[in-house]
Each structure stands twice: as structure tokens, then as C-alpha cells.
């Protein structure tokens, strides 16, 4: 009986710790948690795992976040420079109101944004990535593993981001951002 009580107490302690343990964001070298979300512009379903073979820039942002408003145009330029065949910029809205997202959708269509704006109304994706503050950016390699993680955005962020993008391209045997791949041998 004592053994059963000890086991029950241990089991309760383990489950209580599991409930109260705070989820940690996935780190460099780990496989990025897969998810599916709706593209705000096209309403098509986008699955992270379908981007396999591309560099993925997964950012969590909101219109009410000034650093996010600085980061998003830079990521749009990354998408334009690398192209849809080499990279996917997935911008997940974080705790954004529906009416605000409708305005963002209009603006993105009018300006011809190429990055993919994703809706996360339930917060499921943010939960999978343990997002507590934004902007929060994950650079994911062609193999689906996380290459770099950035929380926040500041003056030095651009140089660091460009360096990490070029390092990721180098590991993928591709030319640096802004350069086009050489033509295939004939």
C-alpha cells in the first residue's frame, strides 16, 4: 500500500510539474514545429512543412508593435530579393483584431507585398513557438531545422539578419542575397 501511495504522489507531482512548466521556444538546431494557417491575401492554406527546400523566415508581428512595423518591410525586401523559389517569408499575426487584419490585407494588396501574411486567430502557432514578445523571428533552413532565432528588433538587427541570411544561403550552396544563382551548366 505504501508503494502505491508513493507512486501516486510521484505521479501527481510529475503531472503538476508538467502543467506548470513553461513552454520554451524551439531553439537553434531543432526541427521547427509544423503548422497550417490561412494566407490573409489568398485565403489558401499554407503549411510550414510544404516550404521544405526553401529558407523560411517565420516572424510573429502585430500592427500595434513599432519594432514589428520596422522589421516587416525588411523581410518583404528579403522575399523580393531571394524570390519565392528560394525563400518563404511567413508573417504570423499575433493577437491582432479582425478589423485591423482587414486593413492590413487591403494595404498589402495595394502595395503588392510578396511575403505571406498568416492569420493565427486561436494563437495556436504562437503557442507552438512559445511566443511571449514580438517581433520574434525564426530563420528555418531548407531541411526544416531552425538556424537562428531573434526576439525583438533594434538598430543592429539589420546587419545581424543580413549576415545570418547569407550564412544560411552559404550552407545551402546558394549565392548571397541580392545575387542570382549561376546558370546551370550546359
Amino acid at each position: 500500500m505504501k508503494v502505491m501511495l508513493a507512486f501516486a504522489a510521484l505521479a501527481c507531482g510529475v503531472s503538476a510539474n508538467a502543467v506548470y512548466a513553461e513552454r520554451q521556444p524551439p531553439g537553434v538546431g531543432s526541427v521547427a514545429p509544423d503548422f497550417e494557417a490561412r494566407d490573409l491575401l489568398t485565403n489558401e492554406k499554407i503549411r510550414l512543412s510544404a516550404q521544405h527546400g526553401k529558407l523560411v523566415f517565420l516572424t510573429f508581428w502585430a500592427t500595434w508593435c513599432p519594432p514589428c512595423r520596422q522589421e516587416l518591410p525588411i523581410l518583404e525586401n528579403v522575399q523580393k530579393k531571394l524570390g519565392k523559389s528560394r525563400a518563404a517569408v511567413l508573417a504570423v499575426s499575433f493577437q491582432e483584431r479582425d478589423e485591423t487584419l482587414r486593413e492590413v490585407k487591403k494595404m498589402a494588396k495595394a502595395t503588392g507585398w510578396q511575403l505571406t501574411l498568416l492569420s493565427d486567430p486561436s494563437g495556436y502557432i504562437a503557442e507552438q513557438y512559445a511566443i511571449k514578445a514580438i517581433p520574434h523571428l525564426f530563420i528555418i533552413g531548407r531541411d526544416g531545422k531552425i538556424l537562428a532565432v531573434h526576439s525583438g528588433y533594434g538598430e543592429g538587427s539589420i546587419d545581424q539578419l543580413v549576415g545570418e541570411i547569407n550564412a544560411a544561403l552559404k550552407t545551402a550552396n546558394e549565392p548571397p542575397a541580392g545575387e542570382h544563382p549561376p546558370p546551370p551548366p550546359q
Side-chain angles (χ1 to χ4, degrees):
M1 183 69 170
K2 286 183 183 180
V3 172
M4 288 184 69
L5 288 175
F7 180 73
L10 180 61
C12 287
V14 169
S15 65
N17 286 338
V19 169
Y20 292 111
E22 190 169 317
R23 181 185 291 264
Q24 295 297 313
V28 172
S30 65
V31 174
D34 196 17
F35 63 84
E36 184 175 270
R38 291 250 178 227
D39 183 322
L40 284 173
L41 301 182
T42 66
N43 205 35
E44 91 179 83
K45 287 183 181 178
I46 304 293
R47 180 168 286 283
L48 177 64
S49 57
Q51 308 308 312
H52 196 77
K54 299 178 185 181
L55 283 178
V56 176
F57 302 88
L58 175 64
T59 190
F60 293 84
W61 69 282
T63 58
W64 45 264
C65 165
C68 298
R69 293 194 308 264
Q70 290 178 309
E71 182 189 60
L72 221 48
I74 292 165
L75 293 174
E76 170 62 16
N77 285 333
V78 167
Q79 182 67 78
K80 285 179 180 175
K81 287 204 183 301
L82 294 179
K84 296 247 182 198
S85 64
R86 294 170 69 190
V89 176
L90 305 177
V92 180
S93 64
F94 181 76
Q95 298 179 350
E96 197 72 79
R97 297 184 343 212
D98 287 341
E99 58 269 15
T100 304
L101 288 176
R102 283 192 289 277
E103 292 302 314
V104 168
K105 180 178 176 178
K106 286 180 196 174
M107 185 273 307
K109 280 186 174 184
T111 57
W113 275 14
Q114 293 181 19
L115 61 78
T116 303
L117 296 168
L118 298 176
S119 177
D120 185 24
S122 69
Y124 173 78
I125 303 168
E127 181 182 317
Q128 295 305 302
Y129 284 83
I131 302 303
K132 306 267 184 298
I134 56 174
H136 206 121
L137 173 69
F138 295 85
I139 301 175
I140 303 167
R142 295 168 60 168
D143 61 357
K145 291 184 180 174
I146 297 172
L147 300 174
V149 179
H150 293 273
S151 183
Y153 181 84
E155 290 298 316
S157 297
I158 295 174
D159 292 337
Q160 185 179 5
L161 185 58
V162 168
E164 287 176 349
I165 292 168
N166 286 329
L169 289 170
K170 187 175 182 181
T171 61
N173 294 320
E174 292 196 30
E179 295 180 20
H180 296 287
Q186 295 186 6

